[in-house]
Amino acid sequence: MGPGIRLWFSPGRVREEGTTPDYRFSLANERTFLAWLRTGLALVGGGFAVDQFLPRLHGSLRLAFTVVLLVGGALCALRAVNHWVRCERAMRRGEDLPLSRFPAVLALCVGLLAVAVVVLTLIGWTN
């Protein structure tokens, strides 16, 4: 287990680095963490919704969409805690906040998935 992952489970060790940033920044970091968790929960809910509310969609497509949404939700949750630790460490060290492609990739995947579901629903590609 890497040092970054160890900090997920012992956030008090983050305080061993650098200096304490302005509390407003730490609280903003925590709000961002919670927003990523909400996004993950929404994706998990979307996965269950696809499975339950699109029963006429072809079985393998429904399963694929469901799994993609559930995995996306899990990745969002993991990303939330990882990003929180990385940002907190960067703020304590006085460094620039870490950049990530994850938001763009997630937005692209959700957009493509939504378009695919709409198109398949409109053309009636069902069982």
Side-chain angles (χ1 to χ4, degrees), residues 58-124:
H58 192 272
S60 59
L61 282 175
R62 191 177 72 221
L63 178 64
F65 290 163
T66 299
V67 169
V68 166
L69 286 166
L70 292 175
V71 169
L75 289 176
C76 272
L78 294 174
R79 196 267 183 188
V81 68
N82 186 47
H83 190 70
W84 178 83
V85 167
R86 292 173 55 211
C87 286
E88 197 67 26
R89 291 176 77 188
M91 288 189 299
R92 294 189 70 83
R93 294 175 178 168
E95 299 172 351
D96 290 338
L97 295 180
L99 298 176
S100 173
R101 292 186 181 103
F102 186 81
V105 171
L106 178 65
L108 189 62
C109 290
V110 169
L112 290 174
L113 189 67
V115 168
V117 169
V118 167
V119 168
L120 291 174
T121 301
L122 289 177
I123 64 173

Side-chain angles (χ1 to χ4, degrees), residues 8-70:
W8 294 8
F9 302 104
S10 58
R13 292 182 57 197
V14 172
R15 291 183 177 172
E16 296 172 0
E17 296 183 35
T19 59
T20 302
D22 187 335
Y23 288 112
R24 292 175 292 177
F25 299 132
S26 291
L27 294 172
N29 190 26
E30 189 171 310
R31 285 192 298 274
T32 304
F33 166 75
L34 295 172
W36 277 110
L37 281 183
R38 285 191 298 273
T39 303
L41 286 172
L43 289 172
V44 168
F48 286 119
V50 164
D51 186 53
Q52 294 297 312
F53 298 119
L54 295 175
R56 291 181 42 210
L57 192 62
H58 192 272
S60 59
L61 282 175
R62 191 177 72 221
L63 178 64
F65 290 163
T66 299
V67 169
V68 166
L69 286 166
L70 292 175

